[in-house]
Amino acid sequence: MEETMGTTRRALLLATPALALHGAARAQGNYPNRPVRLLVPYAAGGGQDIAARLVAEPLRAALGQPVIVENRSGASGMIAAQALAQSAPDGYTLMLGGSGETAINPHLFRGRITYDAAREFRPVMIMVKVPNVIMAYPEAPFRTLPELIEQAKAAPGRFSYSSSGIGNPQHLSGELLNTIAGIRTVHVPYRGSGPAVLDIAAGQVQFGYNSLASGLPLIREGRIRAIGVTSKERMPQLPDVPSASEYPPLASYELVNFFGLYAPTATPDAITDRLHAALAAAMREPTLRGRFEEQGLLVQSMSRAESWAFQQAESEKFGRIVTQANITIDG
């Protein structure tokens, strides 16, 4: 009798992992059977929030469940990123993340960051690149980017540029230009894009870096001159404005923000593959692509592997810029 009970117990112990795997497979097969949360690291109305709301409906249609956009702003995006890192890897909590949370914060807040971006979550898909537009005061003594660089070399520190804050892609765009062009321009950080752009139009700073959406109305009114974009490709809304890299000494120059859909690292492949397929199909739809392009967002078609490789390469680039420029944030 004891031998029979022992044999039964051993059989149950051996069967437990298989039963667990069977249960997980069934859960994946039923995914999703309840609403999906889509975390946004910033307040409503910003670029990532707009992108999240643009993809929520096509994801809902593809998955057959509500996709609820939840703004979890604060701490330079780290509150939402920490929430994602601590969530169950079951596909029911996702994040519409950007370069800040995934590729810049690990370098900018070294020693104080509350999650490990490289280990704790992975991109399901990098959806868009977000170039910056190099915007100049119309009465500045330069009309083109090469003229700005030539004059900045002749008078280091003469020109100031605005951005929407310290350590973000706008700021880092300026620091990368300083490094590659061999110039010294002075960074003037603002609390948000609005005042950063308005002070270019007012001549308080000679130029600046900001998103197309922030500056396009003033560009169209002639109150700001667009002299370059920070992506390798030109922007559809500004076809006559060259990419900075078209100027031969800046051939290696490129700095963009990016947005993507993120899940915890341990999320099963069956779930992330389904999410990727749904998102890729949505991003091929012409109307949705057009709505992204209206916001100055360049739609991408990256696989999961390409998305991961891109994020890692961008993180290394941002890390070099932060170190070379000795950028720190107090508090």
Side-chain angles (χ1 to χ4, degrees):
M1 182 70 173
E2 288 183 2
E3 182 178 353
T4 300
M5 291 179 63
T7 301
T8 301
R9 186 180 298 111
R10 286 194 298 273
L12 286 171
L13 288 172
L14 289 170
T16 297
L19 289 171
L21 287 172
H22 179 66
R26 288 185 61 193
Q28 294 172 39
N30 293 334
Y31 174 83
N33 57 21
R34 63 179 189 271
V36 174
R37 285 195 309 158
L38 181 53
L39 304 177
V40 176
Y42 300 97
Q48 281 167 246
D49 178 72
I50 291 171
R53 295 178 191 278
L54 284 175
V55 299
E57 174 55 27
L59 283 177
R60 181 208 63 76
L63 299 176
Q65 290 288 340
V67 176
I68 301 169
V69 176
E70 182 178 322
N71 298 90
R72 298 284 296 272
S73 60
S76 298
M78 290 191 284
I79 291 176
Q82 176 68 12
L84 181 71
Q86 293 179 337
S87 67
D90 55 10
Y92 289 99
T93 300
L94 308 170
M95 181 177 72
L96 201 295
S99 61
E101 305 82 64
T102 64
I104 298 176
N105 286 350
H107 308 288
L108 200 61
F109 297 97
R110 193 184 302 274
R112 290 186 288 144
I113 195 166
T114 56
Y115 61 91
D116 188 331
R119 289 180 55 251
E120 294 183 295
F121 42 83
R122 291 287 188 273
V124 174
M125 180 180 178
I126 299 298
M127 299 159 35
V128 295
K129 291 182 181 180
V130 191
N132 293 308
V133 180
I134 307 173
M135 307 175 186
Y137 176 51
E139 297 183 30
F142 52 83
R143 297 190 61 82
T144 66
L145 186 57
E147 288 178 2
L148 164 61
I149 292 171
E150 180 182 2
Q151 294 184 36
K153 283 184 175 181
R158 175 186 178 189
F159 298 125
S160 298
Y161 72 91
S162 67
S163 81
S164 58
I166 297 175
N168 61 27
Q170 291 80 31
H171 177 196
L172 300 185
S173 293
E175 295 298 342
L176 183 61
L177 185 73
N178 282 345
T179 297
I180 294 178
I183 60 176
R184 181 167 65 84
T185 57
V186 179
H187 177 229
V188 181
Y190 286 77
R191 294 181 66 85
S193 297
V197 170
L198 287 173
D199 265 13
I200 300 171
Q204 297 300 311
V205 291
Q206 290 78 38
F207 73 111
Y209 302 81
N210 230 300
S211 67
L212 176 70
S214 299
L216 188 57
L218 295 179
I219 292 171
R220 286 175 171 165
E221 292 171 11
R223 296 173 59 190
I224 283 177
R225 181 187 301 118
I227 62 173
V229 297
T230 65
S231 55
K232 287 286 188 181
E233 57 267 71
R234 294 192 181 196
M235 301 187 72
Q237 301 87 341
L238 300 172
D240 297 327
V241 178
S243 164
S245 63
E246 293 178 34
Y247 176 46
L250 301 180
S252 64
Y253 182 90
E254 181 182 32
L255 195 142
V256 295
N257 193 357
F258 59 85
F259 301 158
L261 184 68
Y262 286 82
T265 295
T267 304
D269 286 346
I271 291 176
T272 52
D273 285 345
R274 183 172 180 189
L275 288 167
H276 182 276
L279 191 56
M283 301 300 276
R284 288 193 295 269
E285 203 279 317
T287 300
L288 184 62
R289 289 180 69 95
R291 295 180 69 185
F292 273 104
E293 290 178 355
E294 288 172 3
Q295 300 295 323
L297 311 178
L298 304 179
V299 173
Q300 305 297 298
S301 300
M302 296 190 194
S303 67
R304 288 177 54 205
E306 290 168 340
S307 296
W308 173 243
F310 175 81
Q311 179 188 302
Q312 291 301 98
E314 292 298 287
S315 180
E316 292 174 6
K317 176 193 292 185
F318 287 130
R320 288 193 300 271
I321 298 169
V322 168
T323 299
Q324 291 169 355
N326 192 28
I327 300 171
T328 59
I329 292 183
D330 296 329

